[in-house]
Amino acid sequence: MFERPRSGENAVLVHVDLPGESDSEDLLEFTELARSAGARPVATVTASRAAPDPRYYVGAGKAQEIRDQVQGQAAEVVIFDHALSPSQERNLEKLLQCRVLDRTGLILDIFAQRARSFEGKLQVELAQLRHLSTRLVRGWTHLERQKGGIGLRGPGETQLETDRRLLAARIKQINKRLEKVRSQRDQGRRARARREVPTVSLVGYTNAGKSTLFNRLCDAEVYAADQLFATLDPTLRRFDLPGFGPLVLADTVGFIRKLPHELVAAFRSTLEETLQADLLLHVVDAHDPERQLRIEQVKEVLASIGADRVPQILVYNKIDLSGEAPRLLHEAQRGRIRVWCSATTGAGLDLLSEAVGLHFLADRVQGWLHLPATAGGLRARLYCTGRVLQDQADDAGGWWLEVRIGRSELDSLLRREGVEYPLIEDGEARSVAGAAQAP
């Protein structure tokens, strides 16, 4: 077995077209992924197969062609745009005499470079260890020899068993630490729920401009760059929606086709920001010719984490590149809202705010609540929402409050208090309360 190099820059890329998966855009994305990981593609080998070969994934002749490219280009790593089995990876490394990386390993490497927070680093390490644990089964058969020698022969723990035990112990330790982080996130969500502050999460295909849009809306300084997976760790900021009040805006990791299952499992707590959101802003690159395909791929990932039922607004970003005009389309009957804007120039961002308002103000009502003196807690909670327009005490020590609030939100507050105070229209409130009591 050869010594694995610690790093490699010159890379040979391998892309195989399988039935139903042939797409030139996939190859372009794969090349960009390799560059994002720090590789310098020196050759690209393509092939077409009806089914993957069980030994090399590609045929024996194509494997020899890859070997010729490795030797001719002095490549240090070969990257496959597919998931390789441990035995395929072992066979290829033995033939090519260089490091072989599959799509999952490539994305994991990018995530390892981009993780900045404590939680993000733990999540990446967990995903890497889970991926590595599958490689200990057949990809490392040379480690199955018993420890021994003169005077040391006999039953004992194999190196492979030792590695498995150490990996299992480390995975268990990381899971315990992540549980603490998840608990802290849950506390934050419960606090926002008590204050009735909705959460809006930015989702979309990687490099669609989510972080740039996030910075524009919240006046934040989140790292944004024209590269895949520029944002890994989720960021939360306050966003004041005109005519509504404060919202929490969340910038999350971008999605990609064939997102490895190890990442979906490891980033559960991060993706819960999307799952627990009240509204998703699905950001789409309007300049991307494959944008409809990207929309469907994002929907597949959302469905895999159970977030497909969260309401969405489609935000077509980068209209400065596509040449489209900013506009807002609201199809009330179908419950669909679409916005065209540019996070770079700021064009159409007012329409985006209007679209978010259309969603949260759809069931909004305005009127007067007559609260008795015993409903001070409810009065305080209504003030916490920031939606009390007027407040006037009556002769009995109670209050007349003019509120503007969502019907479902008001019903939730009243149910929590176990009371029923009808919301009265402005004219009715004056006639019922009388001139001395009504505002």
Side-chain angles (χ1 to χ4, degrees), residues 196-201 239-249 276-281 310-313 330 337 352-365 387 404-409:
E196 304 292 341
V197 179
T199 300
V200 179
S201 182
F239 171 59
D240 291 307
L241 182 64
F244 179 82
L247 303 171
V248 172
L249 196 63
Q276 301 295 333
D278 299 283
L279 175 67
L280 301 181
L281 296 185
V310 181
Q312 292 185 29
I313 293 178
H330 181 204
I337 303 176
L352 178 57
S353 296
E354 182 181 344
V356 176
L358 284 173
H359 171 78
F360 285 109
L361 299 174
D363 68 337
R364 176 149 292 202
V365 292
R387 299 174 180 89
R404 183 187 297 129
I405 190 171
R407 171 61 70 178
S408 58
E409 186 178 356

Side-chain angles (χ1 to χ4, degrees), residues 4 67 134 137 166 327 376 433:
R4 288 180 169 224
R67 182 177 181 179
T134 65
V137 179
L166 293 175
R327 64 186 188 277

Side-chain angles (χ1 to χ4, degrees), residues 190-242:
R190 286 194 296 268
R192 295 197 297 269
R194 285 194 298 269
R195 296 185 58 194
E196 304 292 341
V197 179
T199 300
V200 179
S201 182
L202 293 172
V203 300
Y205 210 77
T206 183
N207 204 28
K210 296 182 299 298
S211 295
T212 304
L213 182 61
F214 181 84
N215 289 337
R216 273 278 187 172
L217 293 174
C218 300
D219 195 21
E221 296 181 355
V222 172
Y223 177 70
D226 186 17
Q227 58 184 205
L228 303 183
F229 297 119
T231 299
L232 179 58
D233 301 310
T235 305
L236 305 180
R237 290 290 187 275
R238 175 185 173 125
F239 171 59
D240 291 307
L241 182 64

Side-chain angles (χ1 to χ4, degrees), residues 47-59:
S48 297
R49 289 188 62 86
D53 181 79
R55 187 177 184 186
Y56 295 127
Y57 196 92
V58 295

Side-chain angles (χ1 to χ4, degrees), residues 402-415:
E402 185 184 14
V403 297
R404 183 187 297 129
I405 190 171
R407 171 61 70 178
S408 58
E409 186 178 356
L410 176 60
D411 292 342
S412 176
L413 285 172
L414 295 177
R415 281 196 306 270

